[in-house]
Every structure is written in C-alpha cells, then in structure tokens.
Amino acid sequence: MTRRTEWPGSEDDTHSAPGDTEPRQGRRGRHGRENSGGPDSSRAESGPPRTPEEQARAICLRLLTGNPRTRKQLGDALRQRGIPEEAAEEVLSRFEEVGLIDDAAFADAWVESRHHGRGLARRALARELRTKGVDSALIDVAVGRLDSEQEESTARELVDRKLRSTRGLDREKRLRRLAGMLARKGYAEGLALRVVKQTLEEEGEDPDLLEEHYLPDA
C-alpha cells in the first residue's frame, strides 16, 4: 500500500439552506400574507413520495461522498433515519455487489492512514476497526500487513520526536512518559519500554540505571 488516505470527520447531512432559520410553512408572502402551505404550494415544492429503497440509496450515496464507510456505519445511519430493515438490507447488499461498500478496502486504507499519520500500533488499529463494525477476519488481514519490524520502527520515530520535550526530567519520569505515550497508541509495554530504553541509552543515559526501571511484559 502506497497511498495514504485522510479521514475527515463525518459530514452534516441536513438539508436546510444556509441562513434558513424559519420553518418552511407559515412564512409570509410578498404582501405580508401568511403562506398556508396549501395544495398548490405543496405540489410545487415536493415531488411524489419516495420508496424506502430510494430513500436508503440517497442517504448512502450522500454519506459515501468524500468519506469511505463500512456496511455497519451505513446500516446504523439508515436505522437512525427510520428506513425499514428489509429495504436497508436490500440497498446495502446491492452497494456491496457494485463495490460502493468494501469493508476490506476500508480496513486496509484505515490501517495505512492511521499508522503512518498517527503512529498507531496494530492493537489500537484493530480496536478502532472493531468499533466501525469491520469483521474480525478482515481486521486480522489488514493489521497483519504491519509486521513487527515496521511497528518497532514507527515506535522509534515517535520516541525520537517526543524526546526533546522530556529533557530536564529525571530518568524514571522520562522513561515512563515516553513509554506511556507509546502505550496510548497501542504498543505493547515490553516493546515500548525497550524502544525508550534504547533511545535514552543512545542519548547518554546509564544502561544499568535504566535497567532498574525496565519492566517488560511478564
């Protein structure tokens, strides 16, 4: 995988026009008379009622514009908007058939983006993908593309970036702060402490003194 994917926040899918703070019914016309929303105006402003399937397709297409989504994310959105389950399942299955929903590709892109962009380890990436409803087998394949060497290399880059801000702190506090940063990104305690210890040794810390605080996974 060479392409990195940005993951912007969810889009607002409301339909109000900018600055539209009044309800559509009850507005006053040109001469100050109230628009009662009678049959003529109703026919002019709205087309025939859409089927649940048409509504589901419109919702999914809108949500997919600019942002990849998993099947579960789209299914949750349809449920929240009151789309009947049968109609939702029909549309979601059709979207999968034509490739508009692809949870495997979503997982691959997510791992690529979040590992290189945020430095997240396999454990944290798997946790995020689970919250988005990706199947565990697809998660295993996606995070499996990150081998232990790549993970350790990224951990080292993260520590190198953070190292300067810890100078002036005592030895144990530096070790714990740097290892804690890696732990929050999903790195195992043993790997985190080993990488931090090696980095501090290269900076001139006494290896024997660091060993007193080096507590790898049991």
Side-chain angles (χ1 to χ4, degrees):
M1 293 176 291
T2 58
R3 187 178 65 174
R4 301 184 184 175
T5 306
E6 299 299 328
W7 300 87
S10 299
E11 298 177 345
D12 183 2
D13 56 6
T14 56
H15 297 286
S16 298
D20 190 353
T21 58
E22 293 182 273
R24 292 191 179 277
Q25 292 186 356
R27 293 183 181 174
R28 296 189 177 276
R30 179 183 301 178
H31 302 293
R33 292 191 297 271
E34 180 115 331
N35 184 342
S36 63
D40 291 340
S41 61
S42 177
R43 283 195 297 269
E45 292 181 4
S46 62
R50 295 191 294 177
T51 66
E53 290 79 8
E54 290 173 333
Q55 295 177 50
R57 281 194 293 272
I59 291 168
C60 288
L61 288 172
R62 184 168 64 250
L63 291 175
L64 287 168
T65 301
N67 288 314
R69 311 272 180 163
T70 66
R71 177 170 177 141
K72 180 180 184 300
Q73 287 177 307
L74 292 172
D76 289 345
L78 296 179
R79 194 175 304 109
Q80 291 169 3
R81 288 160 176 78
I83 301 298
E85 183 176 352
E86 184 176 347
E89 286 300 311
E90 178 182 332
V91 171
L92 293 173
S93 296
R94 179 57 180 159
F95 272 44
E96 278 188 324
E97 289 175 10
V98 299
L100 290 174
I101 299 175
D102 188 337
D103 282 3
F106 178 97
D108 288 343
W110 187 269
V111 168
E112 173 75 9
S113 172
R114 300 286 283 177
H115 179 72
H116 291 288
R118 297 286 304 279
L120 298 186
R122 286 174 289 188
R123 185 162 57 182
L125 293 165
R127 184 170 58 246
E128 289 187 339
L129 288 171
R130 280 194 296 271
T131 66
K132 297 184 180 299
V134 178
D135 182 81
S136 58
L138 298 180
I139 292 174
D140 290 343
V141 171
V143 300
R145 299 182 192 280
L146 288 176
D147 58 31
S148 56
E149 291 183 2
Q150 175 63 54
E151 202 170 49
E152 184 163 343
S153 175
T154 302
R156 177 59 189 260
E157 292 173 7
L158 291 168
V159 170
D160 286 342
R161 273 186 252 155
K162 185 78 173 175
L163 193 63
R164 178 176 295 182
S165 67
T166 67
R167 287 173 185 156
L169 300 175
D170 65 65
R171 185 182 301 108
E172 181 177 2
K173 188 171 289 187
R174 293 187 81 189
L175 183 67
R176 297 297 178 183
R177 181 167 295 184
L178 292 168
M181 178 268 295
L182 292 180
R184 288 190 295 274
K185 291 182 178 289
Y187 292 88
E189 184 183 23
L191 170 63
L193 288 170
R194 184 174 71 251
V195 168
V196 173
K197 178 176 174 285
Q198 291 170 351
T199 305
L200 293 178
E201 284 180 12
E202 292 170 7
E203 198 184 51
E205 289 281 2
D206 188 329
D208 293 332
L209 295 176
L210 285 171
E211 198 68 32
E212 297 176 5
H213 310 295
Y214 178 54
L215 302 171
D217 292 333

